[in-house]
Amino acid sequence: MNKKTLKLLLKLTLTGLAVFLVFRKVDTNELGLLLKSASPIWLFFAFLLFLLSKILTAFRLNLYFKNIGIQLSEKKNIILYGIGMFYNLFLPGGIGGDGYKVYLLNKHFKTPVKQLVQASLLDRLGGLVAIIFILLGLLLIVEININLIPAIPISAISIILLLFTYPVFFLIHKFIFSKFTPSFLAANLYSIGGQITQMVAAYFILIALGIDQKILEYQFVFLCSSIVAVLPLTIGGVGARELVFIYSHEYIGIDKNTAVAFSLIFFIISAITSLFGSFLKIDLGKSKKDKNSL
């Protein structure tokens, strides 16, 4: 058994275990009723906003590509990003979306693999930093039953971390990803914009489920679950994201059945968006003229 197969089997096992734990904790009948009652119109708006969030993050990645001499039109960049989303979600045991982009761009532009890997890594890191930044801001206004350091209010900790988040990230840019420093401001604006757009999509899902209370609390847990979903533990974050919602309801006072329904709908929207990538085709080497005008 090779390493890729073993990794896939491990992910499948963890995904199955996480899903099993989730459905042990929820009322499946109530969960089914919630899913059936969701408003299709609001879910459609949520889908559109999620799609927009991915377009914004694709713009961010293209800024990093330009920093290392890759000139892609935004159209081809979005197509490449969409194909990468499909690979990430539906081919978890294979090359993966980032690996596919690195391979294709290295083959066509002869850009060093190290620089392409750095661009992909920084793209993910930028998204993660944006989530953390917004999370810290929400901690100032969301009621949460937890205290990390008893002697210090959690709001004080949040303010300190909030002030240092992007200065520290800038230093990381400067000393580790120096080639990409010129795009620091614009790329992080795209990161914040993309994440806020996803939060609007999440809000529409909550409205579709008939939720009009504790909106910020659901958003807070949604962002926490997004961090967990990024970890390569389960396939597409399935199960892991839902477990965050399940175990956080005790600390933040949200309904766990509604939370799991929300999480499942968000995953379905993400999966549908990623599925579009299977219908996309990209050719970076048609001609010299096309290469110079991408």
Side-chain angles (χ1 to χ4, degrees):
M1 186 181 295
N2 59 41
K3 188 175 180 181
K4 288 183 178 179
T5 303
L6 184 61
K7 182 180 177 181
L8 177 59
L9 287 175
L10 181 60
K11 277 192 172 185
L12 286 170
T13 301
L14 290 174
T15 301
L17 178 60
V19 170
F20 171 74
L21 290 173
V22 167
F23 281 96
R24 280 194 63 187
K25 295 284 186 179
V26 298
D27 183 329
T28 53
N29 291 327
E30 184 178 344
L31 178 61
L33 290 173
L34 281 167
L35 292 172
K36 289 178 182 178
S37 67
S39 167
I41 296 175
W42 284 111
L43 292 182
F44 178 69
F45 287 140
F47 168 75
L48 292 180
L49 266 293
F50 181 81
L51 190 61
L52 176 59
S53 76
K54 290 303 176 181
I55 291 173
L56 290 174
T57 52
F59 288 165
R60 175 186 66 204
L61 181 58
N62 206 18
L63 286 176
Y64 295 144
F65 286 158
K66 286 180 171 62
N67 290 149
I68 52 178
I70 296 175
Q71 298 299 320
L72 276 178
S73 68
E74 292 300 353
K75 179 181 177 180
K76 289 201 172 186
N77 172 58
I78 290 171
I79 291 173
L80 184 61
Y81 197 89
I83 297 171
M85 286 179 61
F86 171 75
Y87 272 55
N88 278 333
L89 188 61
F90 292 99
L91 300 175
I95 189 173
D98 291 338
Y100 171 77
K101 285 180 280 192
V102 167
Y103 166 77
L104 194 65
L105 295 173
N106 170 258
K107 180 181 178 181
H108 182 69
F109 292 99
K110 308 304 179 185
T111 306
V113 171
K114 180 181 178 181
Q115 293 181 9
L116 290 166
V117 170
Q118 284 184 324
S120 298
L121 178 59
L122 191 57
D123 179 59
R124 287 182 176 258
L125 189 58
L128 181 61
V129 170
I131 293 174
I132 292 172
F133 183 77
I134 297 173
L135 264 176
L136 291 170
L138 283 178
L139 267 177
L140 300 175
I141 52 179
V142 169
E143 292 184 12
I144 181 169
N145 186 27
I146 189 172
N147 202 0
L148 300 176
I149 305 175
I152 305 175
I154 194 168
S155 57
I157 298 174
S158 300
I159 291 173
I160 294 170
L161 294 177
L162 195 65
L163 292 174
F164 280 95
T165 299
Y166 276 104
V168 170
F169 191 38
F170 177 77
L171 292 176
I172 292 173
H173 252 272
K174 187 174 180 61
F175 293 105
I176 301 179
F177 302 99
S178 57
K179 282 184 176 292
F180 307 95
T181 304
S183 295
F184 179 81
L185 179 59
N188 284 288
L189 286 175
Y190 277 131
S191 295
I192 294 290
Q195 197 54 56
I196 289 176
T197 306
Q198 277 202 26
M199 290 176 70
V200 176
Y203 173 71
F204 287 159
I205 295 174
L206 292 172
I207 296 300
L209 291 169
I211 303 301
D212 57 6
Q213 295 180 343
K214 289 188 173 291
I215 297 296
L216 290 179
E217 283 77 6
Y218 278 101
Q219 294 277 21
F220 179 85
V221 181
F222 163 65
L223 291 175
C224 290
S225 71
S226 297
I227 294 176
V228 174
V230 168
L231 302 176
L233 300 175
T234 64
I235 296 175
V238 175
R241 189 189 293 271
E242 288 74 23
L243 280 177
V244 173
F245 278 98
I246 288 288
Y247 288 105
S248 63
H249 85 281
E250 299 177 5
Y251 301 99
I252 207 162
I254 59 175
D255 180 73
K256 59 183 179 182
N257 292 305
T258 303
V260 171
F262 164 85
S263 186
L264 290 174
I265 290 172
F266 186 85
F267 172 75
I268 291 170
I269 288 175
S270 175
I272 292 172
T273 305
S274 299
L275 189 60
F276 286 151
S278 65
F279 301 103
L280 300 175
K281 303 293 181 184
I282 189 167
D283 185 356
L284 300 178
K286 286 184 178 180
S287 66
K288 185 176 180 181
K289 180 180 178 181
D290 183 54
K291 180 178 177 180
N292 292 331
S293 61
L294 289 178

